[in-house]
Amino acid sequence: MAASSRWDHLADSVGEALARQVAPGSDQGEVFSFGLKLLGGFLLGLVMLVALAAPLGVLPHALAAAASGGLLRLFSGGAHSSTPLGCATTGAIVAAVIGLAARVAESLLSHRLYHLSLATLPWILSSCLMHAPAATPQKPLPPGRHRAFRLACLVMICTWSLFLVFRILFPPVIWFSSALGLSWQAFSLTPTGFAFARRVDGILPRREA
């Protein structure tokens, strides 16, 4: 049995047990198991991200990219690997690479990082308007909720833009890392992004028990 299948089976079992304890007689097992799978994937991705980015000295940059892209992904959907391990691996590598790119840009273009961050907005907005929400067979969207999810994407991007324009909370390099994270998430919504995810999914090893 594959490692991801073992985790899915464990999450299903624990989810059913929680449902029997919390809501006896209800059909909430799938809800609990889905939540556990999301939590497990998040923790795995976080551990891998820290393991990659911290030795490179770009952990704050990588966390900014991952957090921004992940928040947009909640509303926009997008391409992803077919296994939690694949998602965690890809996400950690992308975030670490973005962190490195942001640090290099800081050394070369430190006075233009805010402008470069703003320059990503047309791409992010156009991708979300054209493709969000982008569902996958593994995570179909609830019927009739497409407009609500797209509106949530736009609200999130507009809020991010206001914080960026007024330079609230973070230094320029962190905002630039965040912008690159959003840009990558916008790419994952496109047909090319889905094709890229399928190609990466075929490359990643599938460990058997």
Side-chain angles (χ1 to χ4, degrees):
M1 181 184 297
S4 59
S5 297
R6 290 200 302 269
W7 166 246
D8 288 346
H9 179 71
L10 177 61
D12 290 339
S13 299
V14 175
E16 292 294 338
L18 284 173
R20 288 194 295 270
Q21 294 294 323
V22 176
S26 68
D27 187 22
Q28 296 296 309
E30 290 186 3
V31 175
F32 283 110
S33 64
F34 180 68
L36 288 170
K37 291 172 186 176
L38 287 180
L39 177 62
F42 169 76
L43 293 176
L44 178 61
L46 182 60
V47 168
M48 295 185 70
L49 188 154
V50 172
L52 281 174
L56 297 173
V58 295
L59 183 56
H61 314 68
L63 286 174
S68 301
L71 181 59
L72 180 57
R73 188 180 187 83
L74 288 176
F75 310 115
S76 68
H80 59 85
S81 176
S82 60
T83 67
L85 178 60
C87 281
T89 302
T90 305
I93 292 173
V94 168
V97 170
I98 286 176
L100 285 172
R103 192 172 68 176
V104 171
E106 182 184 27
S107 66
L108 298 175
L109 303 164
S110 59
H111 299 297
R112 298 183 180 180
L113 290 182
Y114 273 121
H115 298 93
L116 291 173
S117 300
L118 286 170
T120 65
L121 276 173
W123 158 247
I124 297 167
L125 280 170
S126 62
S127 180
C128 286
L129 286 171
M130 292 176 62
H131 303 293
T136 63
Q138 298 95 331
K139 296 181 180 179
L141 289 169
R145 299 298 300 277
H146 286 70
R147 181 174 296 180
F149 278 105
R150 182 173 296 162
L151 178 60
C153 289
L154 297 179
V155 169
M156 184 260 170
I157 295 169
C158 289
T159 303
W160 179 88
S161 303
L162 287 174
F163 275 74
L164 172 62
V165 167
F166 290 102
R167 306 186 180 189
I168 299 173
L169 296 178
F170 303 116
V173 67
I174 298 301
W175 279 115
F176 185 59
S177 302
S178 175
L180 293 181
L182 292 176
S183 297
W184 177 262
Q185 174 56 27
F187 169 73
S188 79
L189 304 176
T190 65
T192 304
F194 273 83
F196 177 82
R198 288 193 296 270
R199 179 66 61 88
V200 171
D201 206 28
I203 295 172
L204 292 174
R206 297 177 179 272
R207 188 178 66 182
E208 298 295 331

